[in-house]
Amino acid sequence: QVQLVESGGRLAQAGASLTLSCAASGRTLSIYDMAWFRQAPGKEREFVAHISWSGTITYYSDSVKGRFTISRDNADNAVYLRMNSLKPDDTANYYCAATRSRLSAAAARNTWSYDYWGQGTQVTVSS
């Protein structure tokens, strides 16, 4: 079993950049497909980005494509989300998720595809 801890969330101005980190303990991250989801108050948790265990395949939601980049460093047992050109609509609690399954583009977008979740880190973007 893997434990996930997100960090890096903070208050930022629109147009700024921010990098979130997801650190793993308990198991090596290299065997897991990983993803970032986010949840704004009163809304359902939504898919942001996914990266395969090898780091060679990535998927993004349309709302962040071209602005956000997911990456991983299996040696450091961590996954990152680089967020550029932040918008107020990006305000949410951001969650890291992991699965041993190898996910298709469609499956990667579903919360139920993932077995392990962190507690989240809050990102607030002011206009």
Side-chain angles (χ1 to χ4, degrees):
Q1 185 167 339
V2 64
Q3 291 81 43
L4 304 173
V5 178
E6 303 92 336
S7 63
R10 63 174 175 83
L11 175 64
Q13 288 195 333
S17 296
L18 203 58
T19 298
L20 304 183
S21 299
C22 174
S25 61
R27 296 288 298 272
T28 175
L29 266 187
S30 63
I31 61 175
Y32 294 92
D33 275 21
M34 302 294 298
W36 287 94
F37 284 75
R38 66 187 182 186
Q39 188 168 18
K43 295 188 177 181
E44 293 188 352
R45 193 168 297 190
E46 67 170 356
F47 170 75
V48 175
H50 168 276
I51 188 167
S52 63
W53 65 274
S54 62
T56 58
I57 300 172
T58 57
Y59 308 122
Y60 295 93
S61 68
D62 288 342
S63 61
V64 307
K65 192 176 298 182
R67 299 189 298 123
F68 291 10
T69 302
I70 188 171
S71 63
R72 66 189 302 157
D73 186 336
N74 287 339
D76 283 346
N77 233 25
V79 174
Y80 306 98
L81 185 68
R82 175 66 175 178
M83 305 186 294
N84 295 327
S85 304
L86 283 166
K87 304 175 181 179
D89 284 349
D90 295 322
T91 295
N93 205 4
Y94 283 72
Y95 297 90
C96 178
T99 178
R100 288 286 303 272
S101 300
R102 303 296 175 246
L103 300 180
S104 66
R109 287 163 165 75
N110 298 321
T111 57
W112 56 84
S113 295
Y114 299 87
D115 304 306
Y116 305 102
W117 293 84
Q119 294 300 306
T121 186
Q122 178 67 38
V123 174
T124 303
V125 183
S126 63
S127 56

